[in-house]
Each structure stands twice: as C-alpha cells, then as structure tokens.
C-alpha cells in the first residue's frame, strides 16, 4: 500500500535530491510555495551550480535570500564564488598568526588548495552549514534544491568525515602545544588561536550534524520518474543516506502519464510506467510516496508553479 502523503510541515530542513532532470527544482519550488501559502516562512536554496531557480521565478537571484512571494525567500549559492569567499576568509583568519616572512608562501599554498578537487564542494558545504545554523532562527522551513545525487550525498555525509578529520587535526595540534608548553612555557599552557579556530569549526560541524541526523527536524526527499535509471539512482541514494543515518522522508514519483492520454503509443508507455511504479513501491516499501502527473507543459511560470503548489498543499499534511 502506498501512502500518498508526506510529512513535510513539521520539518525544519528539507533536502530535495535525485537524478538530473527528474524534477528536483520544480518539486522543491512547489513545496516551498505550498508551505509559504500555508503560513510558513520559507527559504528555498539552490546548491546546484547550473541554477534554474532564477528562471523558474523569473527574477535575478543572488547569494542572499530574496522574497519572491509573500513569506517565500529564494537564493542561489554559487560554489565557485563560495570557494573564493572561503579562501579570502581563511587568509584573513591567518593574518597576525603567521610570521610576515612566511605570509607569501602560506598564501601561495592556500591558493593551490583552492584548485584541488573538492575545494568548491567544501566551501559549498561550509555555506550550507552556516545557513542551517543561522537561518533556522529566521525561517520555519529551509529547503535545499540540490544538484544531481552523487554531489549532494557527499555534501550531507561531509559533516561526519570532516568531524573525524578535524578531530585528528585537533589531537595533533594539542600534542604539539603540550610539547611547547613543556619546552618553552614552564608548563603554562600556550595560547593557540589556530587550535581555537579549529575547535570552533569542529563544534559547528557537530551542531549541524545533530540537526541533519534528527528525523524530527530534517528530511531528505528523493524525486524520481517511473523509468529505470532514476529508480536505480534513488535506490543507491537512499541506501547511502541510510548508511550515514540521514533520515529519508519520502519519494516523489514525478511525471506520471495521466489517465487522459490515449493512443497506442501512450498506452504502451503507460503500461511500462505502471510496471516501474510497482517496482518503486517494492523498492521503497517503508517510505511515504507521493505521485505527480506529467503536465502538458514545462513548469516555467509562477502561475504554473502555483498550480503544482496547490496540488502539493493537500499532500504534505
Ligand atoms: N510534472 C511535470 N510535468 C511537466 N513537466 C515537468 C514536471 N516536472 C518537471 N517538469 C519539467 O522537467 C524539466 C526538468 O525539471 P527540473 O528542472 O525541476 O528538474 P531537476 O531535477 O531540477 O533538473 P536538474 O538536475 O537539471 O537540476 C523542466 O523543464 C520542468 O519544467
Ligand atoms: Mg534543478
């Protein structure tokens, strides 16, 4: 039996994921709009480098929240810009902590780190972390419209990996400090701003991880279509999230052919979709599912989006 509802309104943070083109941005936007109409103050954030929320809402979006409809704020995070900002910040934090003769070399090293694989992702993650920690005070619901699956899963599993890595760094730093204390400072503990910075970051990751793992606050929604590849990708995604204990809230089966379409060609496709829908029900047995029909046109105007949002209002409890 499928449950045709998904508990969204009591959550504070939602991630919407799935394979490319399945309808993540459309679903995230429709949910955001529906929730705002139901009285929630909502922030919709795109973390996809290939943004389409500006197109969907027909407005220029930047890296800060912009109210597009009453109580619905939208923003886009640009990973490359975040990376630049992040690097500038690291350099600034190091000012006064590194000897003047070393500063050029340190900056050169940091600039090199910027081009390393994963740097943009780490910066993006840092911004998502800050948003979750800071904006929950101002908004009832944060919705992240994410890039296709692999990227997003790394994003949500990062707090765990970063936590382990930072603990290692902190431990090494602590040992070094202990040495210095004994050698140079007659047993008086040395002040170490780098240790303090690391510790602050570790605490930040810890706090965001607590929120991400708390199923009463956070949920991950997978969008798929009744087709083979999106199903496979969602299966892998759900499995990975479970391994990381990240709560999966439900499945959105999008682009289902409506009953009203006819003709032999569509009859065949509808039959095939039914087979896939059965497979979806079997594969994601314990998860709530909602169904969305394929509409006649792309969802590209606010009026269109409002229509889809109207349908969502009755599905999200
Ligand atoms: N139920 C639907 N009926 C008709 N068109 C739809 C439906 N859902 C999505 N679309 C259309 O399909 C296209 C892809 O949707 P969308 O941009 O939401 O997908 P996405 O998963 O965010 O893609 P990407 O991975 O590129 O970010 C868009 O043109 C959108 O208007
Ligand atoms: Mg998208």
């Amino acid at each position: 039996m499928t449950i045709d509802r998904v508990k969204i309104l009591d959550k504070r943070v939602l991630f919407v994921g799935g394979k490319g083109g399945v309808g993540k941005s459309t679903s995230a936007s429709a949910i955001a709009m529906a929730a705002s109409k139901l009285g929630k103050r909502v922030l919709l954030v795109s973390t996809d480098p290939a943004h389409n929320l500006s197109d969907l809402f027909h407005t220029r979006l930047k890296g800060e929240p912009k109210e597009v409809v009453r109580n619905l704020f939208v923003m886009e995070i640009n990973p490359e810009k975040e990376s630049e900002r992040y690097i500038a910040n690291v350099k600034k934090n190091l000012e006064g902590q590194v000897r003047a003769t070393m500063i050029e070399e340190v900056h050169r090293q940091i600039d090199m780190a910027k081009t390393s694989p994963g740097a943009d992702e780490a910066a993006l993650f840092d911004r998502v972390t800050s948003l979750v920690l800071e904006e929950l005070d101002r908004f009832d619901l944060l919705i992240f419209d994410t890039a296709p699956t692999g990227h997003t899963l790394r994003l949500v599993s990062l707090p765990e990996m970063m936590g382990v890595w930072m603990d290692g760094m902190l431990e090494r730093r602590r040992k070094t400090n202990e040495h210095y204390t004994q050698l140079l400072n007659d047993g008086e503990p040395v002040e170490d701003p780098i240790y303090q910075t690391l510790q602050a970051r570790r605490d930040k990751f810890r706090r965001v991880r607590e929120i991400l793992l708390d199923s009463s606050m956070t949920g991950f929604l997978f969008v798929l279509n009744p087709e083979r590849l999106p199903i496979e990708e969602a299966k892998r995604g759900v499995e990975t999230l479970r391994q990381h204990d990240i709560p999966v809230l439900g499945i959105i089966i999008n682009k289902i052919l409506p009953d009203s379409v006819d003709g032999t060609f569509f009859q065949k496709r509808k039959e095939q979709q039914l087979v896939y829908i059965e497979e979806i029900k079997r594969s994601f047995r314990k998860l709530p599912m909602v169904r969305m029909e394929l509409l006649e046109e792309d969802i590209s105007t606010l009026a269109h989006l409002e229509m889809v949002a109207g349908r969502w209002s009755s599905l999200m409890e």
Side-chain angles (χ1 to χ4, degrees):
M1 194 198 78
T2 33
I3 312 159
D4 270 318
R5 277 167 181 276
V6 56
K7 255 185 161 349
I8 287 173
L9 290 176
D10 62 347
K11 298 289 174 282
R12 304 292 313 278
V13 186
L14 285 182
F15 287 90
V16 181
K19 194 174 157 48
V22 290
K24 296 179 294 298
S25 300
T26 310
S27 307
S29 305
I31 292 170
M33 190 174 271
S36 70
K37 293 221 183 298
L38 291 167
K40 302 272 176 193
R41 200 175 150 86
V42 185
L43 176 59
L44 171 65
V45 186
S46 168
T47 63
D48 189 345
H51 294 299
N52 29 36
L53 289 184
S54 332
D55 296 338
L56 196 54
F57 287 96
H58 299 274
T59 181
R60 268 176 68 97
L61 295 171
K62 297 213 182 99
E64 298 300 328
K66 175 172 182 181
E67 190 167 18
V68 288
V69 184
R70 201 177 127 68
N71 277 336
L72 170 56
F73 293 72
V74 183
M75 65 185 276
E76 292 181 336
I77 308 179
N78 179 332
E80 226 170 275
K81 282 216 185 95
E82 285 312 318
S83 193
E84 274 159 26
R85 185 149 103 167
Y86 185 67
I87 294 288
N89 215 355
V90 172
K91 285 183 181 169
K92 196 163 150 270
N93 278 342
L94 282 174
E95 264 167 32
Q97 296 182 24
V98 177
R99 260 183 292 143
T101 46
M102 289 290 289
I103 203 84
E104 225 168 88
E105 175 59 17
V106 169
H107 279 193
R108 205 176 65 80
Q109 297 267 346
I110 294 173
D111 286 332
M112 249 159 57
K114 183 173 176 294
T115 59
S116 68
D120 285 1
E121 216 165 35
L124 180 67
F125 172 71
D126 203 67
R127 187 71 198 281
V128 170
T129 303
S130 304
L131 281 173
V132 170
L133 294 177
E134 287 157 22
E135 301 295 348
L136 275 179
D137 287 344
R138 293 207 297 144
F139 293 95
D140 300 311
L141 181 62
L142 305 183
I143 304 181
F144 290 96
D145 166 27
T146 68
T149 323
H151 187 87
T152 309
L153 293 179
R154 278 201 300 281
L155 196 74
V156 288
S157 56
L158 256 161
E160 193 180 348
M161 293 189 288
M162 295 289 254
V164 172
W165 180 71
M166 304 262 290
D167 280 346
M169 297 252 287
L170 277 165
E171 183 56 21
R172 277 196 297 281
R173 190 91 202 160
R174 194 183 59 74
K175 285 206 174 119
T176 316
N177 285 347
E178 254 174 24
H179 268 112
Y180 273 122
T181 301
Q182 280 155 15
L183 282 172
L184 308 173
N185 235 14
D186 281 343
E188 275 294 301
V190 284
E191 280 250 337
D192 180 5
I194 293 182
Y195 186 85
Q196 281 155 13
T197 308
L198 279 174
Q199 203 165 29
R201 280 180 69 73
R202 206 255 327 259
D203 289 347
K204 184 173 156 182
F205 288 136
R206 206 172 261 173
R207 272 183 293 145
V208 81
R209 202 168 128 69
E210 263 166 29
I211 296 174
L212 294 187
L213 297 187
D214 180 350
S215 61
S216 71
M217 286 189 85
T218 302
F220 205 105
L221 287 170
F222 264 100
V223 187
L224 48 73
N225 304 139
E227 286 167 28
R228 196 166 61 82
L229 294 179
I231 298 175
E232 291 306 320
E233 187 144 332
K235 277 192 209 166
R236 280 196 298 274
V238 168
E239 187 48 38
T240 309
L241 289 177
R242 287 201 170 135
Q243 280 165 8
H244 290 283
D245 293 325
I246 293 165
V248 182
L249 187 61
I251 303 286
I252 302 168
I253 314 176
N254 189 32
K255 303 194 187 178
I256 300 177
L257 285 172
D259 286 339
S260 56
V261 298
D262 44 23
T264 18
F265 175 85
F266 280 116
Q267 198 47 43
K268 270 213 115 77
R269 273 216 83 92
K270 276 202 283 193
E271 280 165 22
Q272 194 182 35
Q273 283 204 342
L274 281 181
V275 174
Y276 281 126
I277 291 171
E278 283 310 310
E279 184 185 336
I280 294 168
K281 286 191 205 164
R282 270 198 313 277
S283 305
F284 304 100
R285 220 174 340 201
K286 294 202 178 110
L287 292 174
M289 288 175 203
V290 295
R291 304 154 187 247
M292 283 287 152
E293 285 189 350
L294 176 73
L295 301 174
E296 286 169 5
E297 295 172 82
D298 280 1
I299 295 123
S300 58
T301 64
L302 271 189
H304 238 118
L305 196 59
E306 300 226 355
M307 196 187 84
V308 187
R311 169 131 170 72
W312 265 104
S313 311
S314 60
L315 293 171
M316 43 204 252
E317 296 193 335

